[in-house]
Amino acid sequence: MSSLSFWGAAGTVTGSRYLIETSRARVLIDCGLFQGRRELRDRNWQEPPFGAAGVNAVIITHAHIDHTGYLPRFVRHGFRGPVYCSRGTSDLLKILLPDAARLQEEEADYRNRHKITRHLPALPLYTEQDARETLKLIQVVPNNGQPVNVAKGVTAEFRIAGHILGSSQVLVRCEDQQSHSVLFSGDLGKYDQPIIHDPVAPPACDSLVIESTYGDRLHDIEEPKDALERIIKSAAEHNSAVLIPAFAVGRAQEILYLIRELENEKRIPTLPVCLDSPMAAAATQAYARRTEEQDQDYADALKTNPTPLRTHSMLACSSRQESKRLNDLQGARVIVAASGMMSGGRILHHALRLLPDENAVVVFVGYQAAGTLGRRVADGEKQVKVLGQWVPVRCRIEKIGGFSAHADWKEVLRWLQDMPSPPRRVFVTHGEPEAAQAMGAHIRERFGWEIKVPQYGERFELV
Ligand SMILES: [Zn+2]
C-alpha cells in the first residue's frame, strides 16, 4: 500500500517535504529548509525523521530555499539518489544552494566573532562543499508533462506552475498493488505577472496537495507597478533611501523589470538602483537565458531592449566590500537585497543602518512568515533585534501586496476549475493554520471536494 506523509509545510509555509512510500520505493517531494520560529528552525538540525539513505529519489518543484534548502544537509545525512527538477530550477539551484551554504558559513562566523551564539562554536548547517556534492545529484527533466521514471514503479510529470523560473506542478504516479496519482501544486503563480508564463492547467489526479499561502487573502487592488511609482517618486523628492527586501529569485527580477519599465515610461526619475545580492544578480542572468518560460510581455520587451531586467542606473554588488561601500552612498536610492523576509543575508546590514533612519523607507514586497524579522518590522514593532543588536524602527514602512508570486485563493480556485475530474482527496498544505483552513473551506464550498489539512508527521494511505 502506498502512503504519503507530511514532513514539512504543515501548519507553516516553510520546510516543504512530502514523502511517498510504496512497497518498492521511497520518494521525497521537495526538501525545504524550515524558517521563522525557533521550534521550526530547530527541525533543520534534527535527524530527518524518515531517514536519508533509504530515500531513492528527490523531486523538486522549484528552487526557493523553503523547498530546497535542506538538500545539502540531507546529502550530509547519507542521501545519494537522483534529484529531479526542471532546467530552470537546476540553473537556479546552482546559484542558490552554494549561496545558502555561504550565508550559513558567514552567519556562523559572524556569531562566533561577536560571541552571539548559544552554541560554541556556532556551526553552519552545511558548507559550500556539501552544496557542491548535492548539485552533482541533479537530473534535469522536461516540464512539458512528459512522464519520467524517478524510482521503481514511480513516474513524475512536470508542468509549468508560473511561480518563479522553473517552478513546476508535479504529478507523481505510483504503481503498487494499485495505481495512484498525486498532484503536487508546488507554489502556484499568479496569473498575468510579468516575465513568467501563467500556470498551466492541472492534470487529473487521485490526490491533490495544494498550497495555501494566501488561502485567507486576496491581493491588493493597487497594481504593484503603481505602488512602486508612488514610493520611488516620493523617495526622490525626500532624498530617501528605499530598502526592498526581496527574494533573490523571482521577486528581485520582477522589481528590476518594473522599475525599468517605469523609467522607460518616464513615470519616475532614474535613481541609482543597487542590487545587493550576488545570488539575485546571478539569478537575473538565468532568467534572461531561459526564454522558454518567459511570457509574451517579456518577449515584446526584448524586441527593443536586450536587457529588460536592468534598470537605467544599476549597480550589482558581488563582494562584501562592495556591499559595505553602499553605506557611503547618500541621497535618494533604491537598495534591493535578500533575504526577502529579512531572515538572513545582506539585507540585515542595511536594516541595521536604515531601520532607525526616519527618512528611509522599507518596502515589503513579499510574504513575511511569522517569527521572521521582516514580519516584526511589517507588523509595526518599534524595536527589533538585528544581528544580535536591538535597534529602534523609525523608518517608514510600505507594503505592496500585489507583488506576490503566489496565487491568492481566488486564483487557486481559477486554476482548480480546469481540473478534468475531481480528485478523490485534497490535502491543503503550505499555509499558516488559518490560511490553510480558509483555503480548504473555499475549495469545499466551491467544488464540494473532501479536504484534509495535514499535521506535521501525519501519514495517509493512498487508496
Ligand atoms: Zn516558492
Side-chain angles (χ1 to χ4, degrees), residues 62 64 66-67 163 187 406:
H62 69 288
H64 275 151
D66 60 321
H67 294 255
H163 167 65
D187 288 4
H406 288 270

